[in-house]
Amino acid sequence: MAAQTGLAAPAPVIRSDVPAFRPAVLSAEAAPFAPLGTDGWRLGSPSDAEKQFSRCAARLRALRADSGQLREELNLLFDQLLSENYNRAFEPNINIRPEEVCSLLRHTSGLVPLSQEHLVVKLCQLVHHLLNQLKVIMDEKTLDVLVNYTTGALKACSSWTHSDVLLALSTIVYGNGPQCHQHLSHLLGEDGVLLLYSSPTQPNMELRRVALTCMANICLRMPGQPPLDDQYRSVSFSVFLKTLQSPKPPNTDELFYCMVVQAALKGLQCCLSGGKWKFGGAEELGSVLASLKRLMFQGAPGVNVEWPAVLYPAPLPQYEGLSAPKPAEAPKPSETQRDATGSGKNSGNKKRKSRGKGKKTSTEESRGDDGEENDREAVPVLQKVGGRDGGQVEAESLTKLSAPSLYPSWKRTSSDSEFSDPEGSAQCKLRLYHGRVRQGALHCLLAVAKGVEKRTLYGYWSSFIPDSPPIGGPPPLTLLTIILKDPSPKVRACALQVLSAMLDGSRQFLAVAEDTASPRTSYTPFSFLLATAVRELHRALSLALLAETSPQTLTQVIKCLAYLVANAPYHRLRPGLLSPLWKQMRPYVRHRDVNVRVSVLTLYGALVTTQAPLPEVQLLLRQPEGSNSSSAGSFTPKDSALSWRQRDSVSSPSRTSPTPSPRGPRTPAEEDSSPPWLLQLCVSLVTQPREDQSDSDGGGTGGGLALEPSPVRLEALQVMSHLVRGYFSLAQACLCEIGQVSARCLGETDPSIQLHGAKLLEELGTGIIQQYRAENNVPESSRVPMSQVVLFWSEVLSGPLNRALQNEQHPTLQTSACDTLSSILPQAFAQLPDKTQLMCITVLLGLTYSENYLVKTAAVRALGVYILFPCLREDVMFVADTANTILAALDDRSPNVRAKAAWSLGNLTDTLIVNMESVGVDFQEELSDMLLLKMLQAATRASADKDRVKSNAVRALGNLLHFLRQSQLSRAVFQRPLEDAVRALVKTVQSEATMKVRWNACYALGNAFRNPALSLDSAPWSSDAFSSLCHVVTSCKNFKVRIKSAAALAVPSHRGCYGDMERFSCVWRSLAKALENSEDTNDFLEYRYSASLRHTLSQALLHLLSLSQQQDMPALGASLEGEEGRAIKEHLIKYVRAEEGGGEAEQGEKEAGGDSSTPQQRVGGLQQTLIRLKELQAEAEEERGKEVVVQFLEDLLKSCEEP
């Protein structure tokens, strides 16, 4: 087929031209041995491959299509190029430019005519060889030339060449599918060559495999590239799915079939990755999930079930039915015999142990899954040699219960095996390929879990997660089956990743789970099924934790547990799930693998974060470190695997427990005051030197002074932050110690450590603030003493926090330091030295001019917090400086800065209202009129910004309109800005903005109505303001906005504020109509506010009656007589009797200008209104309306006074 390469025969063994080697000293520091060639170059050096490539490339470029002996030359050069190894793993310093490869391939493709099929095959092999080994990224011209050539070869050449042509094409199109759009119709269109060769009816399995691989590479999406056209993605998806669904053809080798399935799985994964599900509805999704579930157990021993073709979403689990054994697949007698006897022989145990030792050779490790399969075999042996009786009993029982299923028959080899060596090798290879199929199916399932909406995927949970432990009969085949029983650690890790993806974000779904009450006997509620599933997940993952020996898979087990803990509703479940897990994890904090240690800390962080504070976790945190010694025996077997340094020698006592054992029994008082064990552990991990330096993380060898690796320290700091946030009452005993840890971290050079130290300080400050808030009702004796708080912040502010605030090289650290400053307790800030207070304010004012928007945002927010401090809010100079800074930030180009500036401006205007009520006119007079005008104009402009800016801008407008005095409003310079401000509020109320924005706008109008200096009766904007509120109170879908608009309409305290009779009657009709429709809603979430809405509307109607005059009587009388009046009276009776309403309504009443009143006070108000109306002098028409109103009030009072 090919011409001879012309290479010389091997030289004799003894050669005189080889230079003599100089003697070298053998030592650990000596350079690796590398023999020299005859020319002095090192053998196998990069220059050999590069020189060979350059020589062959130059000769190929010199060839022309009409050259003599072209075929022989091409044969020779192709063979020489194919004989070289260009793999950078073998030649790390190889330097062949991609441009040279592309130019060579373009030129060579023009030299080989499609009629020379042997040369076409060699060229295709060369294309695959060079592009694959050199990882060449082709330019568009080369891509087009090579795709044209290979597609032409598929048309013109014989079918025997197509396997190599498709292999080259798959390499060419790898990640370049969208760039090959002009060729896709020929490849993937109707009757396309790839569809022809990938069809399940294709008898040539190699062609089928390569065609599927080619399609997968076309569908592969590289980062930054557009996806493949949906038309061709759908075609490819259908082919891949049909391949997975089709049975193995008869007389087909199992290995070849596995390779075809692997290619289809890879293609399916490429179709599913990087986007949402776009391949049909529930039927298609169910078909994909059914196929993937079947392939998850490909080659798994003992699995012989009838798999459904489609999985349907259902709240109840689907169980696979047992199928009748097929005669063609009956096991061999030798295998049956081993199934019955293999597990109980000592010789089998010895054999497994010896194989476990041999797995560390390079040959075994290079085999991937096969090389790690034997990790599981050592588990029973390790558990049986535990040093404590309790551990030995549990290990033996676990081995007796689980060994038959954990260790399949084909792993229980013996010395009298009936397999010959070739047969054994074939069996190993088949197991390897089956493992790859299972791994590929799980990768696809992971892509499905990430691409399908969570809500849709929940319906299929029962097919992959059991809702009960296996009790009699065959257990369901789920992800947990793979996690516990699959022999390949890589497959187990993939199953854990899928389970983690399914659990991630499932909090809303799992929130329904509950088993605190006994289930009904007639039926099992869905909430109880979910709770059982959570318990089964805990049970299975705990077993996996005990049995797992692969560090990589062990890390995945712990991460999966962290996802479960973060999403499960433990406050709705019976206690007892977290305590075993908490104690089971303790030995792993000193595991030899750094990734395991990090994942353990992540799990502990999830434990102290989920629904904090949980009573069960509180009890666990209060337990001293040695309190679980009685139950530690159950984990002794694992200790022997974890304490790997203790296997051959006696270890130090510090290795047997994470922290030093307690001195002796503690009293209850000592246990309450002692810091939590977890907090002590994290402090030691952050600050103490490592106990040894031979860790697998490759730490330093400098003799015991090196700290833990950075990932461990960062995770420990995060756990401390979570602990302080959720369980501050337990952590406050170590306030000073935690502060010292934070200060130490801030003083280090690693920015990540500094950042986490600052965040820990922020959590401490926030915890102290929460304790001192009146609404939390924390007793004085349980709070951190004020003197200790002041001392704490004095030390923090005099330490390295100042350097962090001024560290311009790390803006994120500056941002976190600003957040830390804003978490100082206001009462403690007042007791700090004046120079310390001045330093904080000066630094924050200066950082608002930072070039980095994150720093500016944090500084502006911190000023918005400081402006509320009682010791600062009355300082006119500070208020003015802060206002000017905020006004400058409101014009920033960053929306984040503007949003925080608007929030701070809202806080500042809140302060103005507080000062107006507490200090009085003096404060108003000291504040500059021009500054107030600027604030009013800036807030008006901000009300037209994005919603997150607008929501606080309208709040500030309401406060400013409330704050302005008559002397300021009468000035001409205020007239236009005042009108613009009110119209901005009206526009926001009527807009389609978010409900929070409209709620704030209604509140702002009500706030403005409280200012007696505003002429509501005659102002040109007054009519629009009332009209907008009347429209919202009757038509807005959001009941909270309706409540706020009704409260605003009830704010004016004089009849004249409502304007003429027409406007007053419009307000009345709007409130009456809103009361009539207070239960009309299509949103169940809004219905819960209907009682509060009726409460506020009733209060507003009675307020209008209390202000009404004789000219209003005709309209009021017309409304109160008849059916409408009877409906209004029913609601008012409930209001006066306080039969409904509550939190939201009372809040609305307070903001409407009154305090929460008792039923007696409301009856008294009605009586005063009735007396006043009887004294009104009315004309004939007004008298008729007056009589109706008086009669209405008398009937109302009579009904309210009845028992």
Side-chain angles (χ1 to χ4, degrees), residues 853-854 857 860 892-902 948-949:
Y853 80 94
L854 292 174
T857 301
V860 170
D892 196 89
R893 61 183 180 181
S894 169
N896 294 326
V897 175
R898 297 198 303 273
K900 287 303 179 185
R948 54 179 176 161
V949 180

Side-chain angles (χ1 to χ4, degrees), residues 510-623:
L510 293 177
V512 185
E514 184 174 16
D515 67 352
T516 52
S518 300
R520 301 181 181 181
T521 56
S522 57
Y523 72 96
T524 303
F526 180 65
S527 59
F528 189 81
L529 284 177
L530 270 184
T532 310
V534 171
R535 292 189 174 276
E536 176 61 10
L537 284 170
H538 267 276
R539 186 194 71 85
L541 291 176
S542 295
L543 286 176
L545 200 64
L546 282 172
E548 193 57 66
T549 56
S550 167
Q552 293 78 15
T553 312
L554 181 61
T555 302
Q556 293 298 329
V557 174
I558 301 172
K559 286 183 178 179
C560 191
L561 280 166
Y563 280 112
L564 175 61
V565 169
N567 290 279
Y570 294 100
H571 61 291
R572 296 168 59 91
L573 304 176
R574 295 195 309 273
L577 280 177
L578 298 180
S579 299
L581 180 61
W582 180 282
K583 297 171 183 177
Q584 191 176 4
M585 294 310 302
R586 280 194 175 187
Y588 292 90
V589 296
R590 300 295 182 183
H591 195 277
R592 59 181 177 178
D593 188 275
V594 65
N595 295 315
V596 174
R597 300 206 299 274
V598 171
S599 60
V600 169
L601 291 172
T602 303
L603 177 54
Y604 273 123
L607 285 167
V608 298
T609 303
T610 182
Q611 296 110 43
L614 273 178
E616 185 176 359
V617 175
Q618 280 184 319
L619 289 175
L620 291 170
L621 287 170
R622 290 180 185 277
Q623 290 178 358

Side-chain angles (χ1 to χ4, degrees), residues 1147-1159:
Q1147 183 68 20
E1149 186 176 338
K1150 290 179 182 179
E1151 292 170 353
D1155 296 326
S1156 298
S1157 54
T1158 63

Side-chain angles (χ1 to χ4, degrees), residues 636-711:
T636 301
K638 199 61 192 174
D639 289 344
S640 65
L642 293 170
S643 305
W644 57 287
R645 299 178 183 88
Q646 304 174 13
R647 293 176 182 172
D648 300 323
S649 60
V650 178
S651 63
S652 62
S654 62
R655 293 303 302 179
T656 60
S657 61
T659 53
S661 300
R663 293 185 300 271
R666 301 189 185 191
T667 64
E670 288 177 333
E671 288 187 7
D672 290 340
S673 61
S674 61
W677 163 82
L678 184 59
L679 186 60
Q680 290 179 314
L681 169 69
C682 293
V683 169
S684 66
L685 290 175
V686 173
T687 61
Q688 299 300 319
R690 293 232 318 271
E691 295 175 1
D692 53 74
Q693 304 301 324
S694 58
D695 203 316
S696 62
D697 54 56
T701 57
L705 296 178
L707 298 171
E708 286 282 348
S710 181

Side-chain angles (χ1 to χ4, degrees), residues 70-131:
L70 177 64
R71 180 178 176 181
E72 290 74 11
E73 285 288 331
L74 289 175
N75 259 319
L76 175 64
L77 294 173
F78 286 169
D79 287 341
Q80 290 179 355
L81 287 170
L82 287 169
S83 66
E84 289 293 339
N85 190 345
Y86 304 105
N87 196 326
R88 284 193 168 87
F90 179 73
E91 297 281 2
N93 298 322
I94 196 167
N95 186 22
I96 298 176
R97 294 185 303 163
E99 298 84 2
E100 297 178 2
V101 178
C102 292
S103 174
L104 174 66
L105 294 179
R106 286 199 309 269
H107 177 72
T108 309
S109 63
L111 297 177
V112 180
L114 298 179
S115 58
Q116 299 289 334
E117 295 185 346
H118 288 84
L119 286 179
V120 170
V121 169
K122 282 202 173 184
L123 175 59
C124 290
Q125 292 174 351
L126 180 64
V127 169
H128 171 72
H129 187 67
L130 292 177
L131 296 181

Side-chain angles (χ1 to χ4, degrees), residues 8-48:
V13 177
I14 301 176
R15 294 176 52 185
S16 59
D17 55 345
V18 176
F21 296 108
R22 61 179 182 273
V25 180
L26 297 179
S27 68
E29 291 77 16
F33 174 74
L36 299 177
T38 56
D39 54 357
W41 292 92
R42 294 187 182 274
L43 296 178
S45 65
S47 60
D48 291 340

Side-chain angles (χ1 to χ4, degrees), residues 749-784:
T749 57
D750 186 350
S752 298
I753 298 291
Q754 292 176 314
L755 179 63
H756 282 73
K759 288 187 179 298
L760 180 56
L761 276 179
E762 181 188 354
E763 292 294 345
L764 284 170
T766 304
I768 295 172
I769 291 175
Q770 293 294 332
Q771 274 195 340
Y772 274 82
R773 281 187 175 167
E775 60 266 24
N776 291 334
N777 298 320
V778 179
E780 183 73 27
S781 59
S782 300
R783 298 177 183 173
V784 180

